[in-house]
Amino acid sequence: MTARPRILVREAARDGISVLIVDGVLDSSTYLALRDRIVKAALDGPPAVVVNVSALRTPTASAYAVFSSARWQVSRWPDVPVLLVCGHATGRDALRRQGITRYVPVYGSLDAALAALDGIDGRLRQRRCAELAPGREGVKHARELITEWLWDWGYASKIKIANAIATELVDNVRAHTDSGVAELRVESRGSEVTIAVSDRSARLATRIESAYGTFRLSGLHLVAALADAWGCTPSSSGKTVWATIA
């Protein structure tokens, strides 16, 4: 019996940048695992994620779309740049032919990729995280933490809206998942504040449209009304629902 192809990902760090070194076969059975691994690295909030694919074997070139898919998942938040490194011209040419480099740049070496990052947005990203119980106590705890953190960071004017968003996101974990815990993440970058809540359910958060073309009123409608942008990012352990206040 032939063993299923596997993707092996080793993570390292270079100057604070997350570096993923990938080995194995990229095909339909490993596509999602690699995408989710890249997304997870980005959600951890490094300045950038560099993926070294020099040893990656890809029987079907279209599978390279995994890299543009991963970048799309994190393009609005946390908006972490994703770069590729491929040490051989054959792989770089294949990535270009598939159109991947329009969204995810590719370089011939890690040093070249890191040098290209010198021009990225250097605005300070502040971040705090906490684990919450997904019930009313969790909501209360989240509001207390958000008030404290945003006050300390100088975003007092955003506390009321941030607390309203967090209330809905944390309460949705209790109402719509079996996840025993939720993780609250609060970030500030420039003039933006982002509230994110992660849980261990793979069920994506969506606004439900009725058969008559109108939306049912739900917490996510309030989130969408209060936030400048919101979304739901799947991961290998569940999902993260986030909302940004600009």
Side-chain angles (χ1 to χ4, degrees):
M1 180 171 146
T2 304
R4 289 183 62 188
R6 297 181 60 200
I7 283 285
L8 302 176
V9 181
R10 180 166 58 90
E11 184 166 4
R14 175 87 174 266
D15 301 329
I17 306 298
S18 177
V19 180
L20 304 180
I21 303 167
V22 184
D23 192 0
V25 177
L26 174 60
D27 62 11
S28 60
S29 69
T30 56
Y31 182 102
L32 290 179
L34 181 55
R35 186 201 66 182
D36 289 350
R37 187 66 185 81
I38 297 169
V39 169
K40 181 181 183 300
L43 290 178
D44 287 340
V49 176
V50 178
V51 187
N52 191 325
V53 298
S54 300
L56 188 65
R57 300 179 296 284
T58 310
T60 304
S62 60
Y64 280 130
V66 67
F67 301 114
S68 52
S69 175
R71 173 58 183 146
W72 179 85
Q73 292 279 1
V74 300
S75 60
R76 186 60 183 84
W77 181 83
D79 192 22
V80 171
V82 177
L83 297 82
L84 300 178
V85 170
C86 186
H88 50 86
T90 301
R92 294 194 298 272
D93 290 343
L95 287 161
R96 292 188 186 101
R97 287 196 302 272
Q98 292 299 313
I100 308 306
T101 54
R102 289 186 296 171
Y103 311 101
V104 185
V106 60
Y107 300 90
S109 69
L110 178 59
D111 287 340
L114 295 177
L117 288 170
D118 288 343
I120 67 171
D121 187 350
R123 290 178 298 170
L124 176 64
R125 185 193 298 266
Q126 300 179 99
R127 180 180 64 189
R128 297 291 298 272
C129 302
E131 191 171 281
L132 307 171
R136 300 312 303 172
E137 285 302 312
V139 169
K140 179 182 177 183
H141 190 199
R143 294 172 68 94
E144 291 171 348
L145 292 174
I146 288 170
T147 300
E148 176 186 342
W149 295 340
L150 294 188
W151 184 270
D152 288 346
W153 295 344
Y155 293 89
S157 63
K158 292 180 168 59
I159 290 174
K160 185 175 181 179
I161 293 177
N163 278 337
I165 289 172
T167 296
E168 299 302 332
L169 296 185
V170 176
D171 201 47
N172 277 353
V173 176
R174 175 196 59 79
H176 301 295
T177 79
D178 295 324
S179 182
V181 295
E183 182 187 67
L184 170 71
R185 180 186 303 186
V186 181
E187 290 187 357
S188 69
R189 188 182 184 191
S191 62
E192 289 187 346
V193 168
T194 299
I195 308 300
V197 174
S198 302
D199 61 59
R200 296 173 185 170
S201 170
R203 180 183 178 186
L204 299 182
T206 58
R207 290 186 295 174
I208 301 173
E209 188 174 1
S210 77
Y212 300 99
T214 58
F215 286 111
R216 300 174 188 172
L217 186 61
S218 70
L220 286 180
H221 291 85
L222 177 60
V223 171
L226 293 175
D228 290 87
W230 77 279
C232 181
T233 303
S235 68
S236 57
S237 58
K239 66 178 179 295
T240 299
V241 186
W242 56 269
T244 294
I245 309 164

